[in-house]
Amino acid sequence: MGVKGALLGGGNSKRSDKARSKMMKVWILRASTTILLWTCVVQLTAIGETWGPRVLKGWPSCFTPSIPPFPVNSNGESTEVGGASVVAEKFVFPPKRIYKNNGYLMVSCNGGLNQMRGAICDMVAIARYLNVTLIVPELDKTSFWADPSEFQDIFDVDHFINSLRDEVRILKVLPPRLKRRVELGIFHSMPPVSWSDISYYHNQILPLFHKYKVVHLNRTDARLANNGLPVEIQKLRCRVNYAALRFTSQIEELGRRVIKILRANGPFLVLHLRYEMDMLAFSGCTQGCSTEEAQELTRMRYAYPWWKEKVIDSDAKRRDGLCPLTPEETTLVLRALDIDQSMQIYIAAGEIYGGSRRMDALAAAFPNVVRKEVLLETDDLRYFQNHSSQMAALDYMVSLESDIFVPTYDGNMAKVVEGHRRYLGYRKTILLDRKLIVELVDQYTNGTFGWDEFSSSIKAAHVSRMGSPSRRLVIPDRPKEEDYFYSNPYECLPQSIDQLTSI
């Protein structure tokens, strides 16, 4: 009996252990299921927020987020822009877009910083449309400026890649197998046709990806049309320009420091005084130069074979409004517009040709003329010396934040900054009518009319040229003469097209 009781008691114990084990498994299963369901709900919510607009609005998810001009770091830390403290939430990158890859696009940009900036935006849009993988663009190192900077020396490359990953796959380098093919010459390289619409890339370029797998596009400036493109492509170009192309932390930190110094001393005007040696040599404009200086500029123009226009009539070109305003002409215009003489005038430019002699009139009329080289210590700029694109990036930041922006020539920086200031809320940008200005200046200097008449004429001519909402000028079959997309990307701006007015 004792043995039998012990055996029965052992059997009850085993059954109890099995029951407890079964109950434990049930609880573990319930807990795991609850955690799994909660995770799914969170993920579906996140995906819904990101992809919902895509389903409703169609391809692609190009949006124009409300962003500060210089987004702060992604760690949620506070920073300063223009002397004001800004607290940023941690940047959450969108989910990756999954698509069938048609090939790999390599890009070699040409020109200065803002010429390349526009090209990068265009190439991202083209890569998205063709469903190809974009390799981080190569920047121009052979232009007049000979800047050795790589993409990652100017722009935050990881932010560029990750912030656009819901649109296009971007790699820093080709995969090893394809890199070997390129080294063996098994790829296709070409400059695209200028000002092409998107059908050109679909009909002419996409088949090249099918054939070669890797296509290299060079001379990529102005290769996508200003007008006649789907609004989704236009908005993607804006998204790249205003959200994805963030400067490196070193550039942003120094740019914010310059802005803080300027703000501490009151309002400031940025004068993009495009009166450097390279611009004068390229344009052939020699107004105010000595005979020796004019000869030096001509020799320089002939030294660069890709500057095709050699024999130039400087006076005729100036009368047509095709020359950058001289420092003396610019001084007269700023005075005529009643710019406060105590206002800080920040010169966003390289070395002015002719030095202090050509700047004397401006300095006499506006005593608070400053440059980054004056506001910062020598050591602050040591890293940026001999890197013209990085120096231009600093000027770009300051130009965006200025109370007034005045370009004296409609080059790439002037156009891109103009468009960016429109995007940030139509900040005051005085777009000078150079053809009219030189006519009025000549009439004033030869005594045809006095200062009051000159000033009133300048004011009347520019009352509607302050960067206010407007349509781009469209000229069919003459895209070079149209308004540049990046100077007025109205498809991305708050106003609807019906609200825009023509200048």
Side-chain angles (χ1 to χ4, degrees):
M1 289 291 293
V3 173
K4 185 176 180 181
L7 290 174
L8 289 173
N12 291 334
S13 177
K14 288 180 181 179
R15 284 194 295 272
S16 178
D17 288 342
K18 288 182 180 179
R20 282 195 297 270
S21 176
K22 186 174 180 181
M23 288 293 293
M24 183 64 69
K25 289 179 180 179
V26 170
W27 280 107
I28 291 173
L29 180 60
R30 287 177 178 176
S32 299
T33 302
T34 301
I35 293 171
L36 180 60
L37 289 173
W38 176 250
T39 302
C40 290
V41 169
V42 171
Q43 292 294 325
L44 286 171
T45 301
I47 292 173
E49 291 175 354
T50 302
W51 291 91
R54 300 179 73 132
V55 174
L56 294 174
K57 296 181 181 179
W59 177 91
S61 79
C62 309
F63 56 88
T64 52
S66 177
I67 57 169
F70 315 114
V72 293
N73 61 53
S74 59
N75 298 319
E77 299 173 354
S78 64
T79 186
E80 289 186 348
V81 176
S85 179
V86 178
V87 178
E89 296 181 0
K90 187 172 182 179
F91 191 93
V92 179
F93 293 117
K96 293 181 180 179
R97 172 173 169 257
I98 307 300
Y99 62 93
K100 180 183 177 182
N101 183 33
N102 288 322
Y104 294 80
L105 172 60
M106 298 173 62
V107 172
S108 291
C109 300
N110 60 294
L113 173 66
N114 293 287
Q115 192 171 341
M116 294 190 290
R117 187 183 184 112
I120 292 166
C121 298
D122 289 353
M123 292 299 114
V124 170
I126 290 164
R128 170 60 177 85
Y129 179 78
L130 298 182
N131 284 333
V132 297
T133 296
L134 176 68
I135 307 303
V136 169
E138 178 187 21
L139 303 187
D140 191 347
K141 302 176 184 63
T142 61
S143 66
F144 168 83
W145 302 276
D147 187 341
S149 299
E150 302 288 354
F151 186 99
Q152 62 270 20
D153 296 323
I154 301 173
F155 301 108
D156 184 337
V157 65
D158 292 322
H159 177 80
F160 175 71
I161 292 171
N162 291 320
S163 65
L164 293 169
R165 65 187 186 182
D166 61 329
E167 296 290 357
V168 63
R169 183 184 180 214
I170 304 174
L171 301 177
K172 293 181 181 178
V173 294
L174 280 169
R177 179 178 58 84
L178 293 173
K179 185 177 180 182
R180 179 60 178 161
R181 285 169 58 94
V182 170
E183 291 170 349
L184 294 173
I186 310 174
F187 70 104
H188 187 76
S189 182
M190 61 175 289
V193 175
S194 300
W195 312 112
S196 297
D197 63 23
I198 206 67
S199 64
Y200 162 79
Y201 289 93
H202 183 271
N203 297 329
Q204 303 295 324
I205 305 299
L206 184 57
L208 297 175
F209 284 102
H210 295 152
K211 182 176 181 179
Y212 296 98
K213 196 65 176 179
V214 178
V215 174
H216 172 236
L217 298 183
N218 53 55
R219 294 195 61 81
T220 51
D221 64 314
R223 303 295 146 162
L224 196 55
N226 292 311
N227 303 292
L229 298 176
V231 69
E232 294 85 1
I233 291 177
Q234 302 289 52
K235 288 188 175 182
L236 180 54
R237 296 164 92 180
C238 291
R239 177 179 170 186
V240 180
N241 197 16
Y242 306 134
L245 285 177
R246 176 188 294 181
F247 292 129
T248 64
S249 58
Q250 294 89 343
I251 292 174
E252 289 198 359
E253 179 184 354
L254 198 57
R256 286 194 293 268
R257 195 187 311 172
V258 174
I259 295 165
K260 184 177 181 180
I261 293 171
L262 289 166
R263 281 273 173 251
N265 295 319
F268 66 96
L269 176 151
V270 166
L271 181 62
H272 184 43
L273 189 59
R274 196 69 169 94
Y275 204 76
E276 302 108 328
M277 186 178 186
D278 66 292
M279 171 51 66
L280 300 181
F282 173 75
S283 64
C285 298
T286 58
Q287 176 73 11
C289 295
S290 66
T291 301
E292 292 76 15
E293 288 172 334
Q295 291 173 348
E296 180 182 36
L297 294 171
T298 300
R299 286 194 298 271
M300 182 180 179
R301 183 166 68 254
Y302 276 86
Y304 289 87
W306 54 88
W307 290 358
K308 295 180 180 179
E309 189 178 3
K310 302 299 179 182
V311 179
I312 297 175
D313 184 336
S314 176
D315 291 335
K317 198 163 188 178
R318 176 176 175 269
R319 287 194 299 270
D320 289 337
L322 301 177
C323 286
L325 294 183
T326 67
E328 297 86 355
E329 292 166 342
T330 302
T331 302
L332 289 174
V333 171
L334 294 181
R335 287 180 55 208
L337 291 171
D338 290 337
I339 300 299
D340 192 330
Q341 288 188 318
S342 65
M343 178 174 275
Q344 300 170 95
I345 307 292
Y346 177 92
I347 305 298
E351 184 178 352
I352 301 303
Y353 191 63
S356 60
R357 175 179 67 85
R358 299 307 300 272
M359 294 293 288
D360 285 345
L362 183 63
F366 299 93
N368 295 323
V369 175
V370 296
R371 305 174 63 97
K372 54 185 172 294
E373 292 85 354
V374 174
L375 298 174
L376 298 170
E377 300 293 334
T378 303
D379 287 344
D380 293 329
L381 290 171
R382 191 182 305 279
Y383 177 80
F384 301 94
Q385 295 295 339
N386 302 317
H387 294 83
S388 60
S389 291
Q390 296 182 48
M391 296 287 268
L394 292 173
D395 284 341
Y396 188 96
M397 288 185 65
V398 179
S399 298
L400 288 189
E401 287 297 303
S402 63
D403 296 280
I404 306 173
F405 177 64
V406 182
T408 61
Y409 187 72
D410 57 352
N412 287 288
M413 177 168 171
K415 293 174 180 177
V416 177
V417 169
E418 175 195 342
H420 204 153
R421 287 174 66 86
R422 289 176 183 271
Y423 180 82
L424 295 172
Y426 299 100
R427 296 178 177 178
K428 189 172 184 179
T429 302
I430 303 179
L431 307 171
L432 301 178
D433 184 340
R434 294 190 306 280
K435 185 175 181 179
L436 178 62
I437 285 172
V438 297
E439 180 183 341
L440 294 175
V441 166
D442 289 346
Q443 289 178 330
Y444 170 69
T445 54
N446 67 22
T448 301
F449 49 61
W451 176 256
D452 289 342
E453 188 176 354
F454 173 74
S455 179
S456 61
S457 297
I458 291 290
K459 290 173 185 172
H462 293 89
V463 67
S464 60
R465 298 178 65 90
M466 299 289 178
S468 55
S470 65
R471 287 180 178 271
R472 287 191 305 274
L473 175 65
V474 179
I475 307 177
D477 302 323
R478 288 191 293 168
K480 279 189 175 182
E481 299 175 36
E482 292 182 329
D483 288 340
Y484 188 41
F485 170 77
Y486 294 104
S487 68
N488 183 14
Y490 61 67
E491 295 90 337
C492 313
L493 305 181
Q495 264 83 358
S496 68
I497 293 180
D498 293 336
Q499 293 174 296
L500 298 176
T501 58
S502 298
I503 288 181

